[in-house]
Amino acid sequence: MSWFIEDTKDKIYWEDIIRPCIPQSDPGRALWKEMKAYVNGDESLWQEEINQLSLLVEGLKRNKAAINELEALFSQFQDNKGLFEEISSLDWENLDPLIVGYHLKQFLWFSNSLIQQLNKMVKEQEIKMSQAAWINQSLEPWESWLMLFTPNDYSKKNHSHFAVEDIDTEELKELRKYRRLLLREQRDYERNICSEVKNRYHVSINIDRHILIKTEDTRLVSLYNDNRFRFIRHQEEESVFHLLLSNEEKQVIKKLKQCNLSIEKLEIQAFQRILEQIISVLPKFMKAQEAWAKLEVMLKKARMAIDFHGTKPILLKNSTYKYK
């Protein structure tokens, strides 16, 4: 049942009033839409929420910049249920290390950053007084889990970006170095053969190694007879030739393919080693996902309490309310 008719909403500018209270993240908005009023029998749940709100309100009042910082952080909070289910399937060979690794690291970076913000805002003695799920999550080793994705560079834990190179073994580092050498060698061969052809025939070669030359050009016969070229087609008044790969280039490309296959195989192995460590704590990540969504909703309520100068209600034994 609606709180009031749509015409009333328009007259009191309800959308403008309620907009700041709506969570930014998808998980937070989903939980916000499911909110229901407390009824008789929910007194203990209501009291726990009031305690949590009091904790957050006091913390936000002490650190006025915290609310904007937390809202900016929650704007990067994603729905990871599908990701966690995908990892739980144990079909690791079909998991893309780059995509799954990024989203996992983003979740861990978010969780670690959120805990750091909360620790600045909420006092230690206040934390001990609450049994909120988001408080319990602050005791988990988020930084240690985050460092699984940045073992070679501690500074990279401070952002959510992820590259497979971040978890490279020494063998992978050497292979990547070898691949860079092969790519440089390939470019040198291509540069040399293109330069030699340009100097000899005085023609331009485009990025696809194509040469366009007028059909009446005297150089046309020479190009036909040069086995480094393959005739493609005639178009209007021009003929198109393709500069073929040299034997040296073919050898380098073959080595590159072998190198890339080795790199891909080792990348999967390195990522699977991380997943083997993650899989045992995945249930904790799922609980944290729910706790963070609840926290975002609570933060919105706390902000509304501050903005509207709300007072803390007290529930009496006869279920009536008294306001301080």
Side-chain angles (χ1 to χ4, degrees):
M1 183 172 67
S2 177
W3 291 354
F4 34 57
I5 60 176
E6 294 300 319
D7 183 56
T8 305
K9 284 185 178 182
D10 293 337
K11 288 181 178 180
I12 66 172
Y13 302 100
W14 175 249
E15 295 300 328
D16 292 334
I17 295 172
I18 199 65
R19 188 177 296 112
C21 306
I22 301 176
Q24 294 173 280
S25 73
D26 289 339
R29 280 195 296 270
L31 187 62
W32 183 81
K33 290 178 181 179
E34 295 174 359
M35 283 194 307
K36 296 179 180 179
Y38 288 108
V39 297
N40 288 337
D42 292 340
E43 287 82 4
S44 61
L45 295 174
W46 178 87
Q47 189 61 63
E48 176 55 31
E49 176 164 322
I50 293 299
N51 293 340
Q52 291 185 49
L53 281 172
S54 298
L55 185 67
L56 291 172
V57 167
E58 291 305 314
L60 291 173
K61 285 181 177 179
R62 285 195 300 265
N63 187 349
K64 298 186 184 303
I67 188 64
N68 292 328
E69 294 171 354
L70 286 166
E71 287 185 347
L73 194 56
F74 270 108
S75 68
Q76 302 181 64
F77 180 40
Q78 302 174 0
D79 187 348
N80 294 294
K81 288 183 180 179
L83 173 69
F84 297 151
E85 290 172 359
E86 188 179 5
I87 297 172
S88 299
S89 70
L90 302 181
D91 188 15
W92 295 348
E93 291 185 0
N94 292 320
L95 295 179
D96 187 318
L98 185 59
I99 296 175
V100 175
Y102 166 74
H103 287 295
L104 263 177
K105 188 190 173 186
Q106 198 278 340
F107 171 74
L108 294 172
W109 169 84
F110 167 83
S111 300
N112 188 58
S113 301
L114 181 58
I115 292 300
Q116 290 178 351
Q117 288 286 353
L118 291 173
N119 288 340
K120 293 178 184 178
M121 187 182 74
V122 183
K123 294 180 179 179
E124 186 176 352
Q125 62 269 27
E126 293 174 329
I127 290 177
K128 292 178 181 179
M129 295 172 60
S130 176
Q131 298 300 317
W134 56 271
I135 287 290
N136 296 332
Q137 291 299 330
S138 67
L139 305 176
E140 299 292 356
W142 293 107
E143 187 173 42
S144 297
W145 291 331
L146 177 59
M147 286 305 296
L148 291 174
F149 293 84
T150 55
N152 302 313
D153 190 348
Y154 189 84
S155 64
K156 289 185 178 180
K157 81 175 182 66
N158 294 318
H159 58 71
S160 60
H161 308 305
F162 172 74
V164 182
E165 288 88 341
D166 293 340
I167 58 172
D168 274 358
T169 60
E170 290 302 319
E171 187 176 5
L172 265 170
K173 289 179 181 178
E174 290 300 317
L175 276 173
R176 294 191 198 281
K177 182 179 179 180
Y178 177 54
R179 180 169 63 182
R180 289 194 293 271
L181 290 174
L182 290 174
L183 288 170
R184 190 178 303 120
E185 188 176 351
Q186 181 187 19
R187 287 195 297 270
D188 288 343
Y189 280 132
E190 182 177 32
R191 188 182 301 111
N192 291 337
I193 191 172
C194 287
S195 177
E196 194 277 327
V197 166
K198 288 178 182 178
N199 291 334
R200 180 173 180 178
Y201 294 109
H202 303 289
V203 292
S204 297
I205 304 174
N206 66 20
I207 192 171
D208 296 318
R209 297 170 68 117
H210 286 167
I211 295 174
L212 278 69
I213 190 167
K214 296 290 185 181
T215 52
E216 68 273 12
D217 197 299
T218 56
R219 295 167 294 179
L220 193 61
V221 175
S222 298
L223 290 175
Y224 272 123
N225 294 329
D226 193 327
N227 58 14
R228 292 175 299 181
F229 296 96
R230 178 168 60 89
F231 171 72
I232 302 296
R233 64 182 179 275
H234 290 300
Q235 56 183 35
E236 297 180 355
E237 298 180 353
E238 292 180 322
S239 296
V240 182
F241 290 85
H242 177 65
L243 177 60
L244 301 173
L245 294 171
S246 65
N247 290 331
E248 293 83 359
E249 287 177 293
K250 290 178 181 177
Q251 289 298 317
V252 173
I253 291 173
K254 183 178 179 180
K255 292 178 182 178
L256 270 170
K257 287 181 179 179
Q258 293 172 343
C259 183
N260 285 331
L261 287 173
S262 298
I263 287 174
E264 183 178 354
K265 181 179 179 181
L266 289 176
E267 283 179 346
I268 292 174
Q269 290 176 357
F271 190 65
Q272 284 181 353
R273 283 193 290 271
I274 289 180
L275 290 183
E276 287 169 358
Q277 299 178 68
I278 289 295
I279 197 70
S280 62
V281 294
L282 202 58
K284 294 184 177 182
F285 292 178
M286 295 176 179
K287 288 182 180 179
Q289 174 86 10
E290 296 178 3
W292 301 153
K294 291 178 181 177
L295 174 60
E296 185 181 13
V297 173
M298 293 292 290
L299 282 166
K300 288 295 185 179
K301 290 182 178 182
R303 178 170 187 170
M304 185 166 61
I306 294 172
D307 290 346
F308 286 93
H309 304 287
T311 57
K312 180 180 177 180
I314 296 176
L315 182 64
L316 301 180
K317 290 183 179 180
N318 60 2
S319 296
T320 60
Y321 293 87
K322 178 181 179 181
Y323 295 92
K324 288 184 177 180

